Amino acid sequence: MLPTNLLTEVPSTIAQQLSPAIAPALAGLAGAAIPAASTAWRSVADSVERNWVDGASSGAGAAGTSLKRAANAAADLETRAGTIDGDIAKGLAAVLSAATDLARIAMDFVTSAMGSLTATATGPAGLAATGASLVSAASSAISQAIARLMKLEQELRPLVQSLMQQASAAVDTPTPPRPTQLEAPATTQAALASPSANTPESTTVTDAADTSDSGGAPVAADAGAGAPTPEAQAAVKAALSAVGTPYGWGGNTPGQALDCSGLTHWAYGQAGVDIPRTAEAQAVGRQVSQDELLPGDLAVWNGHVAMVIGDGKMVEAGDPVQVNPVRTTNIGMPFKGFYRPTG
């Protein structure tokens, strides 16, 4: 049984993705306290890798590697948070010191001005002398204030540069867990798998089906009908031929392993169209509304991508590659929009 106490601070969507195969790997951690720091998660990753018992050594390595990357990313962020806190504290101290000095400069000017007014002699000559004294005091105060502000700017400049560096540096994080809604519905897989002799509709599909070079699932001859270009229709057919391929992060090979952007990149490549490899970068071509969707259009999130195939459905690399209704939500990922690579 999964050690739920170990997962209480992990989003439920992640917990739902934990395969029963890793239960033995985590069983020894059932009594362990929830790691309070990112570095403690490295021991969790090591335990998963050592105790994986389902025979899938590659899966164990992938799980351990993913956990370690997450722990390293969290440690990196913790270090950056400490640096950011320190920079902010130094900046606030510098501003407070400057404010104190500016207040002192202002008080010195007021004191000097009051002294000049008190000692004002009568007559035009006295008034002229007083005015000259006030101008001199004001000029001195302004010069001192400008000099102090310039010093503050010099003190803050390296702190600002440090904060910008912390904010702009990339963090090496593992791919987000695949959502529950991407689990292959039995009815969808049955409709796209080898047809049953007892199903008249399946016989019809078989008569009009072909397969791509992937040697994967049969694809109806009219798949992708209505696509804006022949290339888009060819990409749809290629993507559908990969239905049933297991999910594999970084996977590019139908029938073996595909991730979400690997599927769409490969499918469009089969159609002679070169699109970027990562999901976010596949927001290429013309952006279209959901009402304008045609086969071959891409639904793009920051972290996921799927290909529209028509009839309100899309094909995407869940586990395995499968067909699902078109949607704009995906476990909280920001949705970038629908794009037409050939448009």
Side-chain angles (χ1 to χ4, degrees), residues 66-339:
S66 182
L67 284 171
K68 287 176 181 177
R69 285 180 63 191
N72 290 336
D76 183 16
L77 291 175
E78 285 178 356
T79 300
R80 294 188 196 187
T83 301
I84 291 172
D85 287 345
D87 289 342
I88 292 176
K90 292 177 183 177
L92 290 175
V95 171
L96 179 60
S97 176
T100 301
D101 289 343
L102 290 172
R104 178 186 54 77
I105 293 171
M107 289 302 299
D108 288 347
F109 167 71
V110 171
T111 301
S112 176
M114 291 299 296
S116 297
L117 291 173
T118 301
T120 298
T122 59
L127 292 175
T130 299
S133 177
L134 290 174
V135 169
S136 176
S139 178
S140 175
I142 292 173
S143 296
Q144 293 178 59
I146 291 175
R148 187 61 185 88
L149 289 174
M150 292 178 64
K151 180 182 178 182
L152 175 61
E153 181 185 10
Q154 293 174 349
E155 293 170 341
L156 293 180
R157 185 179 294 116
L159 300 178
V160 172
Q161 292 174 344
S162 175
L163 290 172
M164 292 179 64
Q165 180 180 1
Q166 298 302 321
S168 61
V171 180
D172 180 27
T173 56
T175 300
R178 296 183 299 282
T180 301
Q181 63 262 38
L182 295 188
E183 294 298 327
T187 54
T188 300
Q189 292 304 310
L192 292 170
S194 298
S196 168
N198 298 322
T199 306
E201 293 80 4
S202 297
T203 301
T204 301
V205 171
T206 302
D207 292 340
D210 58 21
T211 58
S212 76
D213 294 339
S214 70
V219 179
D222 63 348
T229 64
E231 291 80 8
Q233 183 174 12
V236 169
K237 288 186 175 183
L240 287 175
S241 74
V243 166
T245 298
Y247 181 91
W249 184 75
N252 296 290
T253 309
Q256 296 183 18
L258 286 168
D259 63 11
C260 62
S261 56
L263 169 66
T264 49
H265 179 265
W266 171 82
Y268 263 108
Q270 294 298 297
V273 179
D274 185 26
I275 62 175
R277 175 58 179 83
T278 60
E280 299 93 320
Q282 290 185 8
V284 295
R286 183 169 72 88
Q287 186 169 8
V288 296
S289 68
Q290 191 163 355
D291 294 337
E292 298 177 90
L293 288 179
L294 293 174
D297 292 346
L298 299 179
V300 184
W301 290 264
N302 283 335
H304 186 60
V305 63
M307 182 183 294
V308 175
I309 62 173
D311 296 327
K313 297 184 181 300
M314 61 186 187
V315 60
E316 57 190 332
D319 196 2
V321 174
Q322 59 201 253
V323 173
N324 290 306
V326 171
R327 65 180 188 281
T328 58
T329 58
N330 198 66
I331 58 169
M333 293 180 182
F335 182 65
K336 299 188 70 171
F338 296 102
Y339 292 84

